[in-house]
Amino acid sequence: MLEKLLGRVAATAWVAVFAMAAAMWAASPAWAAGEVEELKGEIKALETQMKALQEKLSALEAASEKSKAQEEETKKRLDKAELHTATDKVSLGLELRSKADSLHYDDIRMAPAPIVNSFFTPAALGGFNGVTLDQARQGMAQMKAFGMIPPADAVEADNDVIFTNRFRLNMNAKVNDQLSFAGRMAAYKVWGDSTEVKFNQGSLGDVLFDGNTASLPHGDTIHLERAYFNYKHDIGPVPINFSLGRRPSTEGPAAEYGMYSLEGGSPLTTIINWQFDGASLNFGLEDVTGIPGAAFKLCYGVGFEGDWGNSYSLNDTRSDVEDVHLFGFIATLFNNDAISAELNYAHASDVTDGFTGLTVMPFIVSKQDTNGDGAAEYYFAPNTGGFITRMEPSTNIGDWDAASVLLRSNFSEYFANIDAFLGLSWSHTDPSRISANPYYELMGMGLLSSNGELEDRDGYGIYAGMVFPMPLDARLGLEYNWGSKYWFNFTGAEDSLVGSKLAARGSVYEAYYIQPIFSKYFFVKIGGQYYDYEYTGSGNPLGAPVKIDDANALDALNAINDEVWTAYISATLRW
């Protein structure tokens, strides 16, 4: 277009030149030499102007093309900026772990068939089906007095290989320097199974609880493991952090060593590894005290809501079960990145005889006064149809307290990149009453109590480990933990197909080798565990623990694990 315009201007100019020359020639055929030279100069000046005009038009055309290119580039940048702004609102991270476990149970204690069948035999025929509470207790006492309770049977069981996938979607968002959000969705499944609900064999891990939905295998359903906001504000030299929501209450210190990650939660995993909803208020005290890393956090959580979804919720005709509230604090006593010391205390009031959950019970126990004599009878029916039961607590059975001190150190500054930790823990149970659940009531069970005996109990736990550097940036970990007879914690969400090792009343040994393939983004872990239980009921608040070697058939109505060893290998992608 510019070239056409330039051509037209040039043609018009030349026509004007020739017309002017012709007119002058006609008017004065005998020009003087000076006038001719003057005309040549004017023509040359006009040519110079035309050349300048052409160059200017070419420059304008080039500038126009450059402007178009810049406009396209600006548009692309704006589109990218808009997309970047949108995705920056929530940043996502994912983790996928595929794992193979080999499980081997030695010397499982189980009640012999005649004892189990006696609970389905009518009372008129000498069984327990249809007896009153007094009749059942008298019958059991007589069996014990006359040596009629047989020992438990001992069997072995193996699962040579079981595969699992665990998928996690991490979410983080920063609104500004004061307000942020964090969350995690997860699905954890066994290969070839997505039913979510397990057959109950006596372990708390056999029940789908609010506290373990995303932490144990429960099918391909995505569960909300954690979702909370953090609000930060400084009051003078003290930074304050307030947080509310579904808490990061799993995989706390010192679980990070075996997970090959940073700290995954805030409570010490020695006493709490359980999903719950609640709040926290943290005070940074380093500048005030001059102690590196000093901080103090107040914690609150709800373990059970009584007036929602239960048979007695908002029902005046049945006794209510109080909510379970948890209170505590976490104090960072010292932390200079090489050495740290933390103290965690927790208190749960009105602990219930279980939580709401889903499972398939092997039998159903009911209590009713069918003959109208004022004394209820207890009836047992086998669950031959495999029906799913919605479990709910029936009684507040007492209070629980626990405290744990965790010491951690890294020796890089001294001789090698070796990590070591030691956790010392204490638990205390204060039972208030026997459970009103028909089965537990029949057995006289309360908070770490049996036969109607309600006594305060103290338990103790030890957790220690070391992690050593190996060739090719690998890490070798060795861990040991021990729990006493009356040791009890809330660690039922620990990632284990056997059961929480930190809840064990006995000893657990573990060794693992972690080999990074692409830094911490993709790594392989090989390891093994050996559980050597000493007392029954690890991780269970109901019933008095019994030394496994002394357990009889009535103690083994729920299977008792004595020795378990596992081997595992996993590959984890974390991005």
Side-chain angles (χ1 to χ4, degrees):
M1 181 176 178
L2 290 174
E3 291 178 354
K4 290 181 180 180
L5 178 60
L6 184 62
R8 290 178 182 176
V9 172
T12 303
W14 281 113
V15 169
V17 170
F18 282 111
M20 181 176 66
M24 293 177 65
W25 179 268
S28 182
W31 278 0
E35 292 176 343
V36 172
E37 290 300 323
E38 182 178 355
L39 180 61
K40 288 181 179 180
E42 290 178 356
I43 293 173
K44 187 174 182 180
L46 185 59
E47 288 178 344
T48 302
Q49 292 177 3
M50 290 297 300
K51 185 177 180 181
L53 179 60
Q54 185 176 7
E55 291 176 352
K56 186 175 182 180
L57 289 173
S58 298
L60 289 173
E61 185 178 27
S64 177
E65 293 297 326
K66 184 178 180 180
S67 177
K68 288 182 179 179
Q70 289 176 340
E71 183 179 348
E72 289 297 324
E73 179 65 21
T74 301
K75 185 176 183 300
K76 290 180 180 179
R77 290 181 178 180
L78 286 174
D79 290 342
K80 288 182 178 180
E82 289 175 0
L83 177 62
H84 189 59
T85 300
T87 55
D88 272 358
K89 290 180 179 178
V90 179
S91 61
L92 302 177
L94 62 86
E95 177 182 312
L96 176 62
R97 185 194 70 187
S98 293
K99 186 180 181 184
D101 286 87
S102 184
L103 310 177
H104 304 273
Y105 297 80
D106 295 334
D107 200 17
I108 300 176
R109 306 298 176 91
M110 303 181 68
I115 290 294
V116 175
N117 293 334
S118 68
F119 286 88
F120 306 113
T121 303
L125 299 178
F128 289 99
N129 203 3
V131 298
T132 64
L133 182 59
D134 289 340
Q135 290 171 340
R137 290 179 176 174
Q138 289 174 6
M140 292 180 189
Q142 289 176 359
M143 291 175 65
K144 183 176 181 180
F146 292 101
M148 298 173 62
I149 303 177
D153 289 342
V155 299
E156 296 182 357
D158 299 284
N159 188 336
D160 292 331
V161 62
I162 177 173
F163 297 98
T164 57
N165 284 331
R166 187 183 69 186
F167 169 75
R168 288 173 168 177
L169 180 65
N170 296 299
M171 302 166 287
N172 291 279
K174 183 178 180 181
V175 179
N176 51 45
D177 291 337
Q178 289 184 292
L179 185 62
S180 62
F181 163 83
R184 184 159 75 192
M185 309 286 287
Y188 190 179
K189 73 179 297 294
V190 172
W191 289 19
D193 180 78
S194 288
T195 57
E196 291 196 85
V197 182
K198 294 176 61 179
F199 185 85
N200 196 305
Q201 295 178 310
S203 169
L204 288 179
D206 293 336
V207 185
L208 175 62
F209 288 125
D210 175 66
N212 65 18
T213 54
S215 301
L216 298 179
H218 287 126
D220 57 3
T221 302
I222 298 290
H223 293 279
L224 179 65
E225 181 182 351
R226 53 183 66 173
Y228 57 95
F229 71 80
N230 280 311
Y231 174 72
K232 301 178 181 179
H233 183 71
D234 293 347
I235 298 181
V238 179
I240 295 177
N241 185 321
F242 174 68
S243 181
L244 187 68
R246 189 153 176 82
R247 309 307 304 150
S249 53
T250 57
E251 300 174 349
E256 70 272 13
Y257 297 109
M259 294 176 57
Y260 199 51
S261 68
L262 301 176
E263 290 184 13
S266 54
L268 297 185
T269 193
T270 46
I271 58 174
I272 294 179
N273 194 343
W274 188 255
Q275 301 165 200
F276 65 87
D277 308 284
S280 68
L281 181 62
N282 184 72
F283 301 88
L285 303 176
E286 183 173 1
D287 293 339
V288 174
T289 62
I291 301 174
F296 185 80
K297 179 188 288 188
L298 296 172
C299 306
Y300 167 74
V302 177
F304 167 70
E305 169 56 54
D307 286 323
W308 175 260
N310 300 303
S311 60
Y312 41 76
S313 298
L314 306 178
N315 188 341
D316 292 337
T317 62
R318 296 190 58 183
S319 59
D320 195 9
V321 179
E322 299 296 331
D323 300 346
V324 178
H325 299 277
L326 296 94
F327 304 90
F329 66 81
I330 302 171
T332 302
L333 307 177
F334 183 87
N335 188 348
N336 66 354
D337 295 330
I339 300 174
S340 68
E342 288 184 79
L343 169 64
N344 192 175
Y345 167 77
H347 170 81
S349 58
D350 296 323
V351 174
T352 50
D353 54 353
F355 299 101
T356 50
L358 299 176
T359 190
V360 177
M361 295 297 294
F363 54 85
I364 307 298
V365 186
S366 60
K367 183 176 70 171
Q368 53 187 319
D369 183 8
T370 57
N371 56 18
D373 63 357
E377 304 94 35
Y378 294 77
Y379 295 92
F380 295 80
N383 186 9
T384 55
F387 300 111
I388 297 174
T389 300
R390 183 189 185 277
M391 302 181 66
E392 63 181 33
S394 58
T395 320
N396 297 106
I397 57 175
D399 298 338
W400 169 81
D401 294 272
S404 186
V405 175
L406 178 66
L407 307 176
R408 291 178 290 178
S409 182
N410 180 274
F411 300 105
S412 296
E413 297 182 3
Y414 305 103
F415 53 90
N417 185 24
I418 297 175
D419 292 299
F421 65 88
L422 173 64
L424 302 175
S425 305
W426 159 83
S427 67
H428 178 79
T429 52
D430 180 15
S432 59
R433 59 178 297 188
I434 298 299
S435 169
N437 176 285
Y439 175 74
Y440 299 133
E441 185 178 44
L442 194 68
M443 307 302 291
M445 292 183 177
L447 185 57
L448 296 190
S449 304
S450 294
N451 303 318
E453 301 172 356
L454 300 178
E455 297 183 25
D456 291 9
R457 303 294 188 184
D458 291 298
Y460 306 93
I462 298 174
Y463 182 31
M466 297 188 73
V467 183
F468 302 90
M470 303 301 288
L472 301 176
D473 296 324
R475 304 287 282 172
L476 171 65
L478 301 174
E479 296 186 4
Y480 169 78
N481 65 274
W482 169 84
S484 68
K485 179 178 182 179
Y486 294 105
W487 168 243
F488 174 65
N489 58 11
F490 280 100
T491 57
E494 182 183 313
D495 180 15
S496 172
L497 299 183
V498 175
S500 169
K501 74 173 188 176
L502 293 179
R505 294 168 185 154
S507 298
V508 181
Y509 307 82
E510 181 172 11
Y512 54 83
Y513 193 92
I514 299 174
Q515 178 61 62
I517 307 300
F518 296 110
S519 185
K520 290 191 175 183
Y521 303 120
F522 184 64
F523 58 91
V524 174
K525 180 180 179 182
I526 302 173
Q529 295 175 314
Y530 173 67
Y531 291 71
D532 185 11
Y533 293 100
E534 294 181 40
Y535 296 92
T536 61
S538 294
N540 194 332
L542 285 158
V546 175
K547 194 170 183 60
I548 293 177
D549 291 341
D550 300 330
N552 59 37
L554 291 179
D555 298 320
L557 289 174
N558 289 320
I560 301 171
N561 291 331
D562 188 2
E563 297 181 28
V564 184
W565 66 273
T566 74
Y568 59 83
I569 181 171
S570 65
T572 301
L573 169 66
R574 185 181 291 151
W575 181 253

